[in-house]
Amino acid sequence: MTKRPLEILDQALNQKPVIVSLKGGREIRGILQGYDVHMNLVLENAEEEINGVIKSQGTLIVRGDNVIYISPSVN
């Protein structure tokens, strides 16, 4: 039986980091703390790599309009 997308997100809550790809080519990695049906996300310990430098962002709220995809992190 296949899992529904929101079930997969439920499994990622407060677990390993996820990678969130955003419009404009940005990618943010962080621990998924919450989300809603509009794909608004709350990420804790978020970080973004800019020009080869990892910049810590702390806790972020990402508006769902900007999300292209969410993926489990490799590390």
Side-chain angles (χ1 to χ4, degrees):
M1 188 164 153
T2 56
K3 294 184 180 181
R4 302 179 83 182
L6 296 181
E7 291 173 3
I8 294 170
L9 284 180
D10 281 340
Q11 291 177 347
L13 282 174
N14 304 307
Q15 300 296 319
K16 296 180 181 178
V18 295
I19 299 171
V20 180
S21 179
L22 303 174
K23 292 180 182 176
R26 297 175 65 187
E27 279 193 355
I28 297 174
R29 180 186 320 261
I31 306 293
L32 183 64
Q33 295 296 309
Y35 64 92
D36 65 13
V37 296
H38 303 289
M39 294 311 298
N40 296 314
L41 309 173
V42 178
L43 297 174
E44 189 173 88
N45 299 328
E47 54 186 31
E48 179 180 15
E49 186 174 338
I50 303 171
N51 297 325
V53 177
I54 296 177
K55 183 176 179 185
S56 178
Q57 303 287 349
T59 301
L60 287 180
I61 298 174
V62 179
R63 185 174 171 163
D65 291 358
N66 294 312
V67 175
I68 296 173
Y69 69 80
I70 303 170
S71 174
S73 179
V74 176
N75 41 343

mmCIF file of all heavy atoms in Angstrom, residues 29-30 43-47 55-60:
data_model
loop_
_atom_site.group_PDB
_atom_site.id
_atom_site.type_symbol
_atom_site.label_atom_id
_atom_site.label_comp_id
_atom_site.label_asym_id
_atom_site.label_seq_id
_atom_site.Cartn_x
_atom_site.Cartn_y
_atom_site.Cartn_z
ATOM 1 N N ARG A 29 18.344 23.374 4.438
ATOM 2 C CA ARG A 29 18.330 22.111 5.172
ATOM 3 C C ARG A 29 17.997 22.406 6.626
ATOM 4 O O ARG A 29 18.523 23.358 7.200
ATOM 5 C CB ARG A 29 19.697 21.448 5.080
ATOM 6 C CG ARG A 29 19.827 20.137 5.799
ATOM 7 C CD ARG A 29 21.264 19.617 5.790
ATOM 8 N NE ARG A 29 21.925 19.828 4.534
ATOM 9 C CZ ARG A 29 22.077 18.901 3.579
ATOM 10 N NH1 ARG A 29 21.598 17.709 3.760
ATOM 11 N NH2 ARG A 29 22.702 19.173 2.466
ATOM 12 N N GLY A 30 17.104 21.615 7.215
ATOM 13 C CA GLY A 30 16.755 21.811 8.608
ATOM 14 C C GLY A 30 15.833 20.716 9.107
ATOM 15 O O GLY A 30 15.386 19.854 8.347
ATOM 16 N N LEU A 43 11.084 25.177 10.044
ATOM 17 C CA LEU A 43 12.346 24.448 10.075
ATOM 18 C C LEU A 43 13.194 24.958 11.223
ATOM 19 O O LEU A 43 13.386 26.170 11.372
ATOM 20 C CB LEU A 43 13.117 24.629 8.766
ATOM 21 C CG LEU A 43 12.457 24.102 7.502
ATOM 22 C CD1 LEU A 43 13.276 24.501 6.282
ATOM 23 C CD2 LEU A 43 12.307 22.606 7.561
ATOM 24 N N GLU A 44 13.721 24.037 12.015
ATOM 25 C CA GLU A 44 14.609 24.385 13.119
ATOM 26 C C GLU A 44 16.041 24.041 12.722
ATOM 27 O O GLU A 44 16.261 23.116 11.944
ATOM 28 C CB GLU A 44 14.195 23.597 14.361
ATOM 29 C CG GLU A 44 14.898 24.035 15.624
ATOM 30 C CD GLU A 44 14.315 23.325 16.825
ATOM 31 O OE1 GLU A 44 14.786 22.226 17.142
ATOM 32 O OE2 GLU A 44 13.366 23.883 17.408
ATOM 33 N N ASN A 45 17.002 24.782 13.250
ATOM 34 C CA ASN A 45 18.419 24.580 12.921
ATOM 35 C C ASN A 45 18.636 24.642 11.413
ATOM 36 O O ASN A 45 19.414 23.865 10.854
ATOM 37 C CB ASN A 45 18.950 23.255 13.474
ATOM 38 C CG ASN A 45 18.859 23.181 14.974
ATOM 39 O OD1 ASN A 45 18.972 24.190 15.666
ATOM 40 N ND2 ASN A 45 18.626 22.006 15.498
ATOM 41 N N ALA A 46 17.955 25.557 10.758
ATOM 42 C CA ALA A 46 18.031 25.680 9.304
ATOM 43 C C ALA A 46 19.377 26.257 8.892
ATOM 44 O O ALA A 46 19.961 27.084 9.591
ATOM 45 C CB ALA A 46 16.904 26.571 8.792
ATOM 46 N N GLU A 47 19.856 25.791 7.758
ATOM 47 C CA GLU A 47 21.088 26.327 7.188
ATOM 48 C C GLU A 47 20.982 26.329 5.670
ATOM 49 O O GLU A 47 20.279 25.521 5.080
ATOM 50 C CB GLU A 47 22.306 25.540 7.656
ATOM 51 C CG GLU A 47 22.240 24.067 7.434
ATOM 52 C CD GLU A 47 23.406 23.321 8.054
ATOM 53 O OE1 GLU A 47 23.933 23.763 9.088
ATOM 54 O OE2 GLU A 47 23.783 22.284 7.490
ATOM 55 N N LYS A 55 25.558 29.034 5.895
ATOM 56 C CA LYS A 55 25.069 30.095 6.779
ATOM 57 C C LYS A 55 23.934 29.551 7.625
ATOM 58 O O LYS A 55 22.932 29.073 7.108
ATOM 59 C CB LYS A 55 24.587 31.282 5.942
ATOM 60 C CG LYS A 55 24.139 32.451 6.770
ATOM 61 C CD LYS A 55 23.760 33.634 5.905
ATOM 62 C CE LYS A 55 23.299 34.777 6.779
ATOM 63 N NZ LYS A 55 22.820 35.901 5.997
ATOM 64 N N SER A 56 24.104 29.630 8.943
ATOM 65 C CA SER A 56 23.072 29.171 9.866
ATOM 66 C C SER A 56 21.934 30.183 9.895
ATOM 67 O O SER A 56 22.165 31.385 10.005
ATOM 68 C CB SER A 56 23.658 28.997 11.261
ATOM 69 O OG SER A 56 22.658 28.600 12.158
ATOM 70 N N GLN A 57 20.701 29.700 9.791
ATOM 71 C CA GLN A 57 19.534 30.567 9.767
ATOM 72 C C GLN A 57 18.683 30.446 11.023
ATOM 73 O O GLN A 57 17.721 31.177 11.197
ATOM 74 C CB GLN A 57 18.659 30.247 8.540
ATOM 75 C CG GLN A 57 19.354 30.358 7.215
ATOM 76 C CD GLN A 57 19.619 31.801 6.815
ATOM 77 O OE1 GLN A 57 19.117 32.728 7.418
ATOM 78 N NE2 GLN A 57 20.424 31.968 5.786
ATOM 79 N N GLY A 58 18.984 29.478 11.889
ATOM 80 C CA GLY A 58 18.171 29.281 13.096
ATOM 81 C C GLY A 58 16.832 28.656 12.754
ATOM 82 O O GLY A 58 16.752 27.711 11.984
ATOM 83 N N THR A 59 15.757 29.216 13.306
ATOM 84 C CA THR A 59 14.410 28.720 13.029
ATOM 85 C C THR A 59 13.787 29.564 11.924
ATOM 86 O O THR A 59 13.801 30.786 11.998
ATOM 87 C CB THR A 59 13.535 28.780 14.297
ATOM 88 O OG1 THR A 59 14.158 27.984 15.309
ATOM 89 C CG2 THR A 59 12.139 28.249 14.026
ATOM 90 N N LEU A 60 13.259 28.894 10.909
ATOM 91 C CA LEU A 60 12.661 29.586 9.759
ATOM 92 C C LEU A 60 11.224 29.135 9.558
ATOM 93 O O LEU A 60 10.890 27.973 9.791
ATOM 94 C CB LEU A 60 13.412 29.251 8.467
ATOM 95 C CG LEU A 60 14.783 29.828 8.226
ATOM 96 C CD1 LEU A 60 15.304 29.334 6.879
ATOM 97 C CD2 LEU A 60 14.752 31.326 8.252
#
